[in-house]
């Protein structure tokens, strides 16, 4: 008999065992074997909690607590099951296990709701294997469609559709997995230091920042490291280094809300005594204001073009992810504030510097995301940690919000 978790901390530990990495972190990328095992185990747990489970064709997993009149659109509550490489135990996972625990409690205490309540374990949000992020929520909301997934391959050249088929899922262009959702609620770790620094337990998010992610390919001429004088070189490494240095200088001239990250860096042929033929690196830029985000991206990309031209290098700039900043739902946030006040739970109105699935759902329905503190503000790391009491407080607020909305 499978052993199911009895409490939140146990559930987090249990879920983190799927894709556990030697460094104490978790690596559970889209359509990997650990991803499939995690979804199957969650499905079993949801069934065991009395929820009606089903997958959609790309592997989003739903657990439904049906209403007496189940014809009205559902309230969806959940988060993403995938992680970054060597990520933490809580990012995404907490939102799923808290949602399952909340629905199990509501069913036991109050029976069937007035409105369908559905947990969702979203197949992918991070964009850490394939160059597409939020594909789970993007397909449910219709922000993405079949054509956005076509031709997508990972860094090993494996296509998204083949990886999807390898774990038993498949999408045809006639599949419509868009859902009509009444509201979307996500509970998530803050992944930053604000709540801990301010000694607050619940973050009520007003705005989720906009973000753009680019892949920059700089091509030059590979040659012998010893026989090629510097003045004869068309070295993409020199170009890429100047671009990244210039990017950092440009960020420094902006306000603190503008953040830019070079997270991936590939050298070809990546050999000590060979002048590289190509450098590929990523740039992730974020800001809570769409105009500031757009202006900065326009500025840095034209600067990169200039540097390439000046050094006689070829450059290809591909933007592969873009989400505008979105406002979370005011009414839902007022309810959360009221719940915190009546339960004497400390809270703080804030923005989210991390992107989240709630950002996609906000395009089709009222959506919000609640934060609990991250110890030391650390995330996307094996050191990610949130205390049991904060996890439990977040769950309590989530349960009361769902009770108000659906009973
Ligand atoms: O990168 C992000 O903002 C999120 O953690 N995927
Ligand atoms: Mn997340
Ligand atoms: Mn994340």
């Amino acid at each position: 008999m499978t052993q199911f978790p009895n409490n939140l901390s146990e559930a987090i530990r249990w879920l983190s065992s799927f894709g556990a990495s030697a460094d104490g972190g978790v690596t559970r990328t889209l359509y990997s074997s650990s991803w499939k095992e995690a979804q199957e185990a969650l499905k079993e747990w949801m069934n065991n909690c009395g929820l009606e489970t089903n997958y959609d064709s790309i592997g989003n997993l739903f657990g439904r607590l049906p209403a007496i009149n189940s014809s009205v659109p559902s309230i969806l509550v959940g988060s993403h099951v995938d992680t970054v490489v060597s990520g933490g135990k809580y990012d995404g996972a907490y939102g799923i296990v808290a949602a399952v625990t909340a629905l199990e409690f509501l069913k036991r205490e109050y029976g069937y709701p007035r409105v369908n309540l559905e947990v969702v374990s979203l197949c992918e949000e991070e964009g850490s294997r394939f160059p597409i992020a939020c594909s789970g929520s993007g397909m449910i909301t219709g922000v993405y469609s079949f054509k956005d997934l076509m031709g997508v391959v990972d860094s090993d050249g494996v296509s998204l559709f083949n990886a999807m088929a390898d774990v038993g899922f498949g999408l045809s262009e006639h599949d419509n997995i868009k859902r009509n959702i009444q509201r979307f609620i996500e509970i998530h770790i803050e992944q930053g230091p604000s709540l801990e620094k301010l000694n607050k337990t619940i973050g009520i998010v007003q705005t989720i920042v906009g973000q753009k992610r680019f892949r920059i390919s700089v091509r030059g001429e590979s040659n012998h490291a010893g026989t090629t004088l510097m003045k004869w070189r068309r070295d993409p490494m020199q170009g890429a280094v100047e671009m990244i240095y210039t990017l950092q200088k440009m960020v420094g001239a902006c306000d603190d809300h503008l953040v830019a990250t070079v997270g991936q860096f590939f050298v070809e042929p990546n050999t000590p005594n060979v002048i590289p033929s190509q450098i590929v690196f990523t740039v992730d830029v974020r800001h809570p204001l769409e105009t500031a985000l757009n202006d900065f991206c326009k500025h840095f990309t034209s600067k990169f073009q200039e540097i390439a031209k000046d050094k006689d290098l070829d450059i290809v700039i591909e933007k592969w992810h873009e989400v505008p900043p979105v406002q979370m739902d005011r009414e839902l946030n007022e309810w959360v504030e009221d719940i915190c006040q009546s339960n004497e739970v400390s809270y703080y109105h804030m923005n989210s510097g991390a992107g989240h699935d709630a950002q996609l759902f906000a395009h089709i329905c009222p959506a919000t995301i609640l934060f609990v503190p991250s110890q030391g503000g650390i995330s996307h790391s094996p050191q990610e940690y949130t205390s049991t009491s904060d996890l439990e407080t977040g769950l309590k607020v989530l349960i009361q919000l769902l009770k108000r909305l659906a009973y």
Side-chain angles (χ1 to χ4, degrees):
M1 166 69 176
T2 315
Q3 215 19 55
F4 295 111
N6 289 316
N7 61 54
L8 268 183
S9 298
E10 205 182 297
I12 297 275
R13 252 194 318 280
W14 167 78
L15 189 49
S16 70
S17 67
F18 302 100
S21 42
D23 56 7
V26 185
T27 299
R28 197 168 52 230
T29 55
L30 181 60
Y31 302 137
S32 60
S33 49
S34 56
W35 175 93
K36 179 66 186 289
E37 284 156 27
Q39 287 292 63
E40 288 292 278
L42 281 166
K43 188 171 191 298
E44 243 192 295
W45 182 33
M46 288 180 194
N47 287 330
N48 192 56
C49 295
L51 304 178
E52 297 166 4
T53 57
N54 72 290
Y55 282 114
D56 67 13
S57 29
I58 62 168
N60 288 310
L61 170 64
F62 299 90
R64 178 194 294 247
L65 178 56
I68 299 136
N69 158 21
S70 61
S71 58
V72 295
S74 297
I75 293 173
L76 214 49
V77 47
S79 192
H80 57 95
V81 73
D82 69 315
T83 70
V84 293
V85 174
S86 197
K89 297 184 176 61
Y90 301 80
D91 179 3
Y94 172 52
I96 298 169
V97 300
V100 177
T101 309
L103 263 58
E104 195 277 329
F105 175 85
L106 288 165
K107 179 171 182 291
R108 191 161 19 95
E109 295 295 313
Y110 307 109
Y112 290 97
R114 238 176 343 93
V115 180
N116 293 322
L117 282 173
E118 287 191 56
V119 187
V120 62
S121 170
L122 293 159
C123 62
E124 183 278 333
E125 181 269 348
E126 296 288 2
S128 42
R129 175 180 178 186
F130 294 95
I132 184 165
C134 297
S135 54
S137 49
M139 291 298 285
I140 294 172
T141 57
V143 170
Y144 293 158
S145 65
F146 178 81
K147 65 172 178 29
D148 296 302
L149 305 186
M150 281 175 70
V152 171
V153 293
D154 68 9
S155 50
D156 297 326
V158 177
S159 87
L160 178 73
F161 285 138
N162 287 345
M164 195 189 285
D166 288 350
V167 285
F169 297 102
L171 182 72
S172 84
E173 57 195 305
H174 310 297
D175 277 333
N176 176 16
I177 58 178
K178 189 171 175 335
R179 298 274 319 260
N180 181 14
I181 302 296
Q182 189 196 101
R183 284 187 173 94
F184 177 76
I185 293 155
E186 184 170 8
I187 193 162
H188 200 285
I189 54 171
E190 179 200 341
Q191 300 182 292
S194 307
L195 291 176
E196 187 180 60
K197 281 187 189 313
L198 297 165
N199 196 21
K200 303 287 183 188
T201 309
I202 296 291
I204 303 178
V205 176
Q206 313 296 313
T207 305
I208 301 182
V209 297
Q211 59 173 280
K212 294 184 187 223
R213 298 189 199 174
F214 299 84
R215 182 188 299 101
I216 315 289
S217 307
V218 187
R219 281 198 78 75
E221 190 175 76
S222 181
N223 212 324
H224 194 293
T227 56
T228 317
L229 300 186
M230 297 310 277
K231 63 187 178 194
W232 294 338
R233 296 183 182 203
R234 291 183 52 238
D235 180 356
M237 180 64 84
Q238 287 179 20
V241 165
E242 187 170 328
M243 288 170 196
I244 295 169
Y245 176 73
T246 307
L247 179 77
Q248 302 308 329
K249 300 281 281 175
M250 289 168 67
V251 173
C254 295
D255 67 75
D256 279 354
H257 295 295
L258 191 289
V259 289
T261 310
V262 175
Q264 264 183 337
F265 192 94
F266 299 108
V267 186
E268 290 169 23
N270 206 23
T271 309
N273 60 345
V274 176
I275 301 166
S277 55
Q278 174 168 259
I279 303 288
V280 177
F281 62 93
T282 57
V283 178
D284 171 317
V285 188
R286 309 194 187 193
H287 198 282
L289 283 179
E290 193 158 15
T291 45
L293 179 63
N294 292 344
D295 290 351
F296 181 82
C297 290
K298 208 162 98 230
H299 194 185
F300 94 79
T301 48
S302 59
K303 198 79 193 117
F304 280 17
Q305 298 280 4
E306 261 175 54
I307 293 169
K309 191 158 176 271
D310 176 47
K311 294 181 175 302
D312 188 18
L313 297 167
D314 303 319
I315 184 168
V316 176
I317 299 176
E318 290 163 82
K319 181 170 59 187
W320 62 268
H321 181 54
E322 173 171 17
V323 277
V326 282
Q327 303 301 319
M328 296 290 93
D329 182 66
R330 197 179 38 74
E331 187 189 35
L332 284 172
N333 283 353
E334 282 166 2
W335 285 18
V336 173
E337 184 168 27
D338 182 47
I339 291 166
C340 290
Q341 286 171 344
S342 35
N343 289 275
E344 291 171 8
V345 171
S346 62
Y347 63 92
Y348 173 60
H349 290 287
M350 61 191 289
N351 285 343
S352 170
H356 295 286
D357 291 301
Q359 204 157 2
L360 281 289
F361 283 99
H363 287 271
I364 64 162
C365 66
T368 198
I369 184 165
L370 315 181
F371 283 162
V372 291
S374 292
Q375 191 175 71
I378 296 171
S379 181
H380 283 187
S381 149
Q383 275 67 49
E384 196 176 85
Y385 176 75
T386 295
S387 73
T388 303
S389 63
D390 287 343
L391 295 173
E392 296 289 350
T393 305
L395 171 64
K396 221 186 286 171
V397 172
L398 178 67
I399 287 173
Q400 291 202 27
L401 178 60
L402 294 174
K403 180 155 180 304
R404 284 195 190 193
L405 290 170
Y407 283 82

